[in-house]
Amino acid sequence: MDAKVTVQSKQEPDMPALCRSVAESSPMPMAAVEGADHIVRYVNSAFCLLTGKTREDLIGNGFSSAAPTGKEYLSLLDRVYQTGKAEIHTGEENRVSHRYYWSYIMWPVLAEDGRRVGIMIQVTETTPFLQQTTGMNQALLISSVHQHELTEEAERLN
């Protein structure tokens, strides 16, 4: 019985199944595209939630129809496809009522022989983080100005 357990623990995991399971359970929106036209071949549940579309709506179509914002990601996709190097980009979309910020992380998907067979994309809506950062920077600036005014007043009184 112990020998059987030892043999099973030494078996290599099924990496494609394991990777698919990791991507599917990720809370981060992820998609995989294929070819120069960036045809969507996989999306996880978080990506569907982000775009408000079903897998059936997304798979088989170009990523441009699935992307949540802007078009700056197209040149990024082209570069990753051509160079095989991962890239990160944060973009913004101006709407009448609100400004949205998105981070795109893209990396090549390689076959066992090293060929590039697609690109994995992770999209993150980063607006809340940027709003918090901007608010903190403004508060620090106001605090600094106020401290400077108090220092000048103290020096004047002395």
Side-chain angles (χ1 to χ4, degrees), residues 21-86:
S21 174
V22 168
E24 189 55 41
S25 62
S26 173
M28 304 304 294
M30 298 175 79
V33 298
E34 178 181 61
D37 293 331
H38 314 301
I39 303 300
V40 177
R41 296 296 179 210
Y42 169 79
V43 292
N44 69 358
S45 299
F47 192 88
C48 293
L49 185 63
L50 175 72
T51 61
K53 298 179 181 179
T54 66
R55 283 189 168 109
E56 293 76 24
D57 293 336
L58 298 167
I59 293 178
N61 295 310
F63 187 73
S64 60
S65 67
T69 183
K71 298 290 183 194
E72 71 273 358
Y73 59 85
L74 286 177
S75 61
L76 185 64
L77 267 173
D78 289 337
R79 263 195 323 272
V80 173
Y81 182 75
Q82 291 167 1
T83 67
K85 294 182 181 178

Side-chain angles (χ1 to χ4, degrees), residues 54-116:
T54 66
R55 283 189 168 109
E56 293 76 24
D57 293 336
L58 298 167
I59 293 178
N61 295 310
F63 187 73
S64 60
S65 67
T69 183
K71 298 290 183 194
E72 71 273 358
Y73 59 85
L74 286 177
S75 61
L76 185 64
L77 267 173
D78 289 337
R79 263 195 323 272
V80 173
Y81 182 75
Q82 291 167 1
T83 67
K85 294 182 181 178
E87 295 216 22
I88 299 172
H89 174 74
T90 300
E92 65 180 276
E93 176 183 359
N94 292 312
R95 291 195 178 165
V96 175
S97 61
H98 196 272
R99 177 177 272 179
Y100 292 91
Y101 294 89
W102 303 91
S103 289
Y104 296 93
I105 303 170
M106 301 178 186
W107 63 95
V109 176
L110 305 175
E112 285 185 23
D113 63 4
R115 283 180 302 113
R116 287 189 296 271

